[in-house]
Amino acid sequence: MAFWPILFFLLAWHALADFPLQGDWMVHSKVRSARQPSSTSARPDLIWIHVLTAHCLVHGGGVAMITQNVWLGVGEVVAHWLTDFAKGEGIFGFHTDQLLHFLAKLLWAYLAVTL
């Protein structure tokens, strides 16, 4: 597949995974400072790690399927995890978060056609 179709599908997957597939509970619970009001976990302060990682695995799975390259999917998991973690820590806001995600998709599309 060529660069532009790959980029289109990556961005479409991102829009799906970052908005309708990410409910309010996940948006709140993937942030390290979030406190779970009701949990059966002995360590509710660590739930954010699982939620953030699950969210990023959805993104990485989409990248791997679209590019047919699992390593690009792994790269997306790492990049998305670091970006969303930084946003959750207040290092930057929504617009920078989305710009970084877009730049990552540009990189995955480029690598998918050049590797």
Side-chain angles (χ1 to χ4, degrees):
M1 195 174 353
F3 175 83
W4 292 110
I6 291 173
L7 182 61
F8 173 80
F9 288 121
L10 289 173
L11 292 174
W13 182 261
H14 177 81
L16 180 65
D18 232 29
F19 298 104
L21 292 181
Q22 183 179 201
D24 289 339
W25 179 85
M26 183 172 275
V27 169
H28 171 75
S29 298
K30 70 179 185 175
V31 176
R32 184 168 61 144
S33 62
R35 294 292 172 245
Q36 299 302 319
S38 169
S39 173
T40 59
S41 172
R43 294 294 308 271
D45 57 313
L46 297 179
I47 289 174
W48 71 273
I49 295 170
H50 304 283
V51 177
L52 178 57
T53 302
H55 170 68
C56 295
L57 282 166
V58 170
H59 282 276
V63 169
M65 286 186 287
I66 291 163
T67 64
Q68 294 294 292
N69 187 318
V70 72
W71 295 111
L72 295 181
V74 170
E76 172 65 10
V77 171
V78 172
H80 206 99
W81 203 99
L82 292 171
T83 301
D84 279 14
F85 177 78
K87 183 179 87 173
E89 294 293 299
I91 295 170
F92 47 74
F94 176 81
H95 298 295
T96 300
D97 169 75
Q98 292 301 306
L99 174 63
L100 292 171
H101 293 320
F102 174 75
L103 293 173
K105 302 313 180 284
L106 283 173
L107 176 61
W108 310 142
Y110 172 76
L111 292 173
V113 299
T114 59
L115 291 178

